[in-house]
Amino acid sequence: MMTTVHFGWVLNAGPTRGMEPSRFLEITREQIALVGEQIDSLWFTDHLQFGQSPVLEGWTALTYIAALYPQYRIGHMVLCQSFRNPALLAKMGATLQYLSGGRFLLGIGAGWHEEEYRAYNYPFPEPRIRLEQLEETLQIVKALWSEEQATVEGRHYRVHSAYCEPKPEPVPPVIVGGLGPRLLHIVARYADGWNAAWVKPEAYRERLTTFERACQQLGRDPSQIERSWFGRCICVPSPQEAARLQGRGLLGTPDQIAEQIQAYVDLGITTFMLGSWELEDLQTVELLARQVLPRFRPGAGAA
């Protein structure tokens, strides 16, 4: 029996330098129109800067897109827990869930891009501390979403007699992104989904062992946690063009990219958040939409 595979589309993080807003939105609409019925969700990253490249703020951008496209679920891949007070994040998520009619998916991670922390005056503690903060963030978010009045005393974050009304209905799935052993224990304890970004199948197979062990230690069935993969793509028509491609993500012809996706499906990944590397590379979007993603629809047969 063929595995049911879901696809979401990751929008580009910002315009090219000097691009007018109308042009950026025009291309974004063209991308979404091309992938159309092949996807069920739209995603935006959560970064503040990458050098001098224009970058849109993730929450603002996603809420705008959510209003434009009410037929799709929406989420970030992934929110940086450091950027927003956990209680405020819970309130923002509950509000978006209410206004979007229950379409919000909470994708979140510990944060990693030191440049933006330093530039925007966020403390950048060691990874162990950021993971502790992520765990406390999830405790606070879940408490505010489920308890009438929440009090959580953590080492890094706390709330006292906090209300979050209206409660999100349904409670948004929590998708935690990352690969480290301690993070995978956080996934096993708190998450509805685990996202592995960019990782190759061979490395993912190794992480999968750690993930399953963490679930077993906590008495949780690993199959209860949906597994997903995030990455960008370059798709070209010919093997000759594909041979010249370099970089990470899914690269190649439609046949080659379908084979790459199938390798992850064989390892138990059932959801893919894909996007194009270049904003104006509509060739990649069209090839994915017409020649790759349809192969994984029910009744299409194995890739």
Side-chain angles (χ1 to χ4, degrees):
M1 183 175 181
M2 184 180 178
T3 302
T4 299
V5 179
H6 297 277
F7 291 98
W9 189 250
V10 183
L11 301 173
N12 294 87
T16 57
R17 183 168 292 276
M19 178 179 284
E20 292 292 327
S22 59
R23 178 57 179 159
F24 174 78
L25 289 171
E26 178 185 8
I27 299 171
T28 297
R29 292 189 184 99
E30 288 178 7
Q31 288 187 3
I32 296 172
L34 283 169
V35 291
E37 296 180 356
Q38 303 297 334
I39 64 166
D40 58 20
S41 55
L42 294 171
W43 302 85
F44 213 89
T45 55
D46 186 36
H47 287 291
L48 302 175
Q49 77 171 48
F50 272 89
Q52 297 182 355
S53 298
V55 176
L56 299 177
E57 194 281 317
W59 195 281
T60 310
L62 187 77
T63 53
Y64 182 85
I65 292 297
L68 289 181
Y69 292 96
Q71 68 269 44
Y72 296 117
R73 296 183 297 167
I74 37 125
H76 299 89
M77 197 44 54
V78 288
L79 289 169
C80 176
Q81 62 83 22
S82 308
F83 293 166
R84 302 163 188 87
N85 172 279
L88 176 61
L89 175 62
K91 188 69 172 179
M92 294 167 73
T95 299
L96 186 53
Q97 186 73 329
Y98 181 84
L99 294 176
S100 70
R103 295 184 287 127
F104 178 57
L105 304 160
L106 176 61
I108 192 166
W112 63 273
H113 188 44
E114 183 175 358
E115 172 195 341
E116 59 193 354
Y117 279 78
R118 302 299 186 198
Y120 278 74
N121 197 34
Y122 285 99
F124 187 68
E126 62 183 287
R128 177 182 61 84
I129 298 299
R130 299 201 307 277
L131 287 169
E132 288 178 0
Q133 293 171 336
L134 173 62
E135 184 164 13
E136 290 183 11
T137 292
L138 292 172
Q139 292 170 354
I140 288 172
V141 168
K142 284 178 171 283
L144 282 166
W145 284 355
S146 62
E147 300 173 13
E148 180 178 355
Q149 191 175 15
T151 295
V152 178
E153 286 282 352
R155 178 182 174 190
H156 307 282
Y157 305 129
R158 57 197 60 87
V159 290
H160 299 283
S161 302
Y163 291 96
C164 182
E165 297 293 341
K167 290 282 187 286
E169 179 61 39
V171 174
V174 173
I175 306 165
V176 175
L179 296 168
R182 181 163 183 181
L183 184 134
L184 292 178
H185 277 79
I186 294 174
V187 170
R189 185 178 297 275
Y190 298 98
D192 303 293
W194 167 36
N195 183 264
W198 302 109
V199 65
K200 297 286 189 181
E202 301 77 16
Y204 181 79
R205 185 180 291 107
E206 297 176 3
R207 299 296 183 179
L208 188 56
T209 301
T210 304
F211 163 72
E212 292 174 342
R213 186 182 304 118
C215 289
Q216 292 166 1
Q217 291 172 354
L218 292 168
R220 191 168 183 194
D221 181 353
S223 67
Q224 295 178 342
I225 301 173
E226 182 181 22
R227 294 181 234 162
S228 59
W229 187 91
F230 166 97
R232 296 194 182 273
C233 312
I234 303 176
C235 192
V236 293
S238 71
Q240 293 75 22
E241 293 171 277
R244 295 192 292 269
L245 297 176
Q246 294 182 339
R248 61 177 183 164
L250 304 182
L251 313 175
T253 65
D255 287 343
Q256 291 168 340
I257 288 183
E259 290 173 2
Q260 293 165 34
I261 291 173
Q262 186 63 46
Y264 292 107
V265 173
D266 293 342
L267 290 171
I269 291 177
T270 57
T271 298
F272 293 83
M273 296 83 159
L274 306 178
S276 63
W277 268 110
E278 299 295 333
L279 173 63
E280 297 184 87
D281 178 14
L282 294 178
Q283 174 180 260
T284 284
V285 185
E286 185 169 5
L287 289 172
L288 289 174
R290 295 185 178 180
Q291 298 187 38
V292 178
L293 306 191
R295 305 187 194 200
F296 296 88
R297 300 188 73 168

